[in-house]
């Protein structure tokens, strides 16, 4: 009788863990758990150590980059001021690149076990947590999102895999909680890549802080924005919209979609702006989906995965040089998608078995993927054909 009761209790516990509400924080956060997991890191490390490709080539590219330089000097500022298109640029590039460098050094530590890289990551994080107080000017939310996407990835690796001392980890957490999170958590009504990058940062920060309320809020905004960023035929005659943007007529929606009035599956809100900004949005979608998967809820099997799959394939086709029809963006697109396909391709094609021919071709052509110097870095290394 007692054994039956125990088994029933265990089953109920498992069911509860597997069935918590969609988009909600997990009962217990997994660490390291922002975009890349411990098992993914272990797979990567084993491949690099045996010289297997494409991981060894990706590792070599990372280690040859300025971000892996052990002589790098942090350039923190108390106030980072970023105007439109980073004009003015008072600390914007420095902040983003120091954050990418911290993540790069943390990856280098994990793969090589050379403690100098862990200490360099800590030096970069400590320099900023001791200094920064605010982001200002028109691009402040986006800047905070970009830098705030890289910082928790670095912090997760150091806090949860490095056995040495990070005495100021609490101060770094306070920086994320007080300087970054308030700037991004309420989202943005600007172009969709803004809010998607901001939610990527908010989700990552929430994982590091184990802040379930912020995780829930960011994930809810992410789900709404993703549905409004990538069109599926099942959405109806017009794309979905975000409440509060007042896109309540066809003309307003077409203007918001860069003048594009023909909607087809895989088109994004910024396709007819340019593929570079579209790539920012798709990358953030893939990063949040990957973090959610690590935390125990796989969004790739929901409309998030369907939208990401079709958007990657649609953009990849034209990025690879397919002729642009007259109904699409007036017959001309601005290419330059960036190193943003590895995470989504690995999840959707390799794990779930979807045919993604164009995305696969583009992914392999771009290997080893580097960094976009904003918030994307080294994803052939961490996610390329990674089964974990």
């Amino acid at each position: 009788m007692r054994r039956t009761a125990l088994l029933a209790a265990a089953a109920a516990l498992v069911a509860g863990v597997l069935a918590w509400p969609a988009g909600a924080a997990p009962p217990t956060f997994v660490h390291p758990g922002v975009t890349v997991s411990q098992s993914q890191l272990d797979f990567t490390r084993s491949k690099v150590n045996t010289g297997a490709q494409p991981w060894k080539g990706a590792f070599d590219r990372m280690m040859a980059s300025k971000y892996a330089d052990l002589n790098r000097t942090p350039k923190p500022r108390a106030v980072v001021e970023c105007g439109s298109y980073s004009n003015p640029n008072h600390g914007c590039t420095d902040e983003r690149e120091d954050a990418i460098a911290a993540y790069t050094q943390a990856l280098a530590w994990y793969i090589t076990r050379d403690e100098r890289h862990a200490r360099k990551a800590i030096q970069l994080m400590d320099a900023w947590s001791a200094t920064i107080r605010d982001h200002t000017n028109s691009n402040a939310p986006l800047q905070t999102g970009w830098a705030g996407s890289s910082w928790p990835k670095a912090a997760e690796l150091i806090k949860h895999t490095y056995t040495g001392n990070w005495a100021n980890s609490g101060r770094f957490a306070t920086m994320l909680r007080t300087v970054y999170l308030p700037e991004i958590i309420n989202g943005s009504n600007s172009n969709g890549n803004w809010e998607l990058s901001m939610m990527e940062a908010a989700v990552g920060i929430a994982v590091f802080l184990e802040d379930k309320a912020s995780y829930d809020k960011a994930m809810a905004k992410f789900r709404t924005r993703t549905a409004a960023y990538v069109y599926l035929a099942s959405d109806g005659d017009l794309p979905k919209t975000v409440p509060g943007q007042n896109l309540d007529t066809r003309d307003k929606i077409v203007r918001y979609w860069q003048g594009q009035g023909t909607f087809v599956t895989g088109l994004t809100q910024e396709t007819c702006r340019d593929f570079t900004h579209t790539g920012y949005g798709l990358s953030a979608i893939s990063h949040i989906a990957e973090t959610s998967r690590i935390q125990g809820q796989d969004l790739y099997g929901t409309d998030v995965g369907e939208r990401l799959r079709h958007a990657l394939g649609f953009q990849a086709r034209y990025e690879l040089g397919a002729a642009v029809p007259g109904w699409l963006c007036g017959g001309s697109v601005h290419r330059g998608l960036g190193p943003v396909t590895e995470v989504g391709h690995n999840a959707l094609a390799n794990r779930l078995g979807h045919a993604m021919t164009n995305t696969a071709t583009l992914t392999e052509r771009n290997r080893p993927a580097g960094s976009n110097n904003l918030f994307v870095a080294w994803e052939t290394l961490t996610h390329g054909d990674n089964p974990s």
Side-chain angles (χ1 to χ4, degrees), residues 5 7 33 48 70-71 106 117 134 137 220 250 298 316 320 350:
L7 288 172
V48 171
L70 285 167
N71 295 313
H117 291 294
D134 199 11
N137 215 317
R250 177 182 172 83
D298 196 339
L320 290 166
N350 293 340

Side-chain angles (χ1 to χ4, degrees), residues 32-359:
V34 178
T35 310
V36 62
S37 68
Q38 181 111 34
S39 59
Q40 288 172 317
L41 290 165
D42 288 340
F43 172 86
T44 294
R45 184 168 185 254
S46 69
K47 291 297 185 182
V48 171
N49 286 342
T50 59
Q53 300 296 352
W55 306 278
K56 181 60 165 63
F59 173 75
D60 290 343
R61 181 174 184 184
M62 181 183 81
M63 296 305 289
S65 75
K66 62 184 178 181
Y67 299 117
D69 185 357
L70 285 167
N71 295 313
R72 184 180 186 89
T73 301
K75 297 179 180 178
R77 286 178 181 245
V79 177
V80 174
E81 182 185 2
C82 306
S84 181
Y85 292 94
S86 291
N87 182 23
N89 181 343
H90 296 154
C92 316
T93 301
D94 292 338
E95 180 189 26
R96 293 193 306 263
E97 295 193 353
D98 275 352
I100 292 172
Y103 176 52
T104 301
Q105 298 283 349
L107 283 174
W109 139 254
Y110 196 90
I111 292 169
T112 67
R113 294 300 196 268
D114 183 339
E115 291 199 29
R116 293 178 300 169
H117 291 294
R119 290 194 293 269
K120 177 57 69 172
I122 290 169
Q123 181 195 17
L124 290 159
M125 291 188 285
D126 283 355
W128 280 90
S129 71
T131 307
I132 190 167
R133 297 294 176 265
D134 199 11
H135 297 87
T136 63
N137 215 317
S138 59
N139 263 30
L142 181 61
Q143 171 72 18
T144 309
W146 280 342
S149 294
S150 296
W151 286 130
K153 289 193 289 189
E156 280 282 294
L157 294 189
I158 295 301
K159 183 174 181 180
H160 297 288
T161 73
Y162 178 53
T163 55
N165 183 37
W166 182 16
N168 292 312
S169 63
R171 188 178 72 195
F172 187 83
T174 298
M175 176 193 80
L176 294 180
R177 184 180 294 107
T178 61
V179 178
Y180 287 80
L181 200 54
E183 185 73 42
I184 56 179
I185 192 62
N186 292 317
S188 165
N189 284 329
S190 185
N191 280 303
N193 81 84
W194 276 51
E195 186 160 85
L196 288 166
S197 289
M198 291 162 69
M199 291 310 103
E200 178 186 344
V203 166
I205 289 168
V207 170
F208 182 72
L209 297 178
E210 299 195 331
D211 179 345
K212 292 186 178 185
S214 294
Y215 187 96
D216 289 350
K217 184 173 182 177
M219 194 62 74
K221 285 189 174 295
F222 163 70
R223 294 293 295 268
T224 300
R225 175 60 71 173
T226 298
Y229 193 70
V230 180
Y231 177 80
L232 296 177
S234 57
D235 294 338
D237 292 339
L238 294 172
K240 292 179 179 293
T241 59
V242 173
Q245 287 196 274
N246 299 314
L247 298 175
D248 52 5
T249 68
R250 177 182 172 83
D251 286 346
K252 288 181 181 179
I253 290 171
V254 169
R255 281 198 298 273
Y256 188 62
W257 282 62
Q258 317 295 325
Q260 177 67 16
T262 301
F263 301 103
V264 298
T265 292
L267 183 79
T268 82
Q269 182 251 314
E270 296 185 279
T271 296
C272 294
R273 179 187 186 185
D274 58 59
F275 280 17
T276 301
H277 286 88
T278 299
Y280 300 164
L282 298 184
S283 180
I285 292 170
S286 69
H287 292 165
I288 296 172
E290 194 72 0
T291 296
S292 180
R293 184 187 71 88
I294 294 166
Q295 296 305 325
Q297 185 182 53
D298 196 339
L299 295 179
Y300 290 116
T302 71
D303 79 296
V304 170
E306 187 179 5
R307 292 177 195 277
L308 179 62
R309 175 167 63 92
H310 287 296
L312 287 172
F314 186 89
Q315 265 62 221
R317 181 184 179 203
Y318 296 108
E319 182 78 7
L320 290 166
V324 181
W327 59 263
L328 177 62
C329 310
S332 175
V333 296
H334 300 282
R335 296 177 174 87
L337 193 61
V340 302
T341 62
E342 287 279 14
V343 176
H345 176 262
N346 186 54
L348 295 161
N350 293 340
R351 286 200 208 106
L352 296 184
H354 292 293
M356 298 177 69
T357 305
N358 288 325
T359 305

